[in-house]
Amino acid sequence: MILNINENLSLSYRLKEMYVEFNEGNTSSNCQAWFETIYSAFIEADIPEYREFTILLYNW
């Protein structure tokens, strides 16, 4: 119910879960493609609270 309060809240949660899943389940064979998908999702979402994190992903 909490995630239904605001669309950005729901999207933020899904992005966070996507990133957690990436960290827990990537392999050397799928890491780059999976990362590019996640990075693109963070860019497209353009959530102000994730801007610094998105920059961190790009730099590291």
Side-chain angles (χ1 to χ4, degrees):
M1 286 180 19
I2 291 173
L3 295 178
N4 292 330
I5 292 172
N6 182 288
E7 187 176 325
N8 274 350
L9 181 61
S10 178
L11 177 58
S12 296
Y13 179 78
R14 288 193 314 266
L15 287 170
K16 189 268 303 180
E17 288 298 308
M18 183 187 294
Y19 181 72
V20 168
E21 186 178 333
F22 167 76
N23 282 328
E24 292 175 350
N26 71 57
T27 64
S28 59
S29 63
N30 68 3
C31 184
Q32 184 170 351
W34 199 353
F35 175 80
E36 290 172 7
T37 299
I38 290 171
Y39 181 71
S40 295
F42 274 90
I43 292 290
E44 286 180 32
D46 194 31
I47 296 172
E49 291 79 9
Y50 278 154
R51 285 189 185 136
E52 284 187 48
F53 179 71
T54 305
I55 292 168
L56 178 131
L57 286 176
Y58 177 78
N59 288 334
W60 288 96

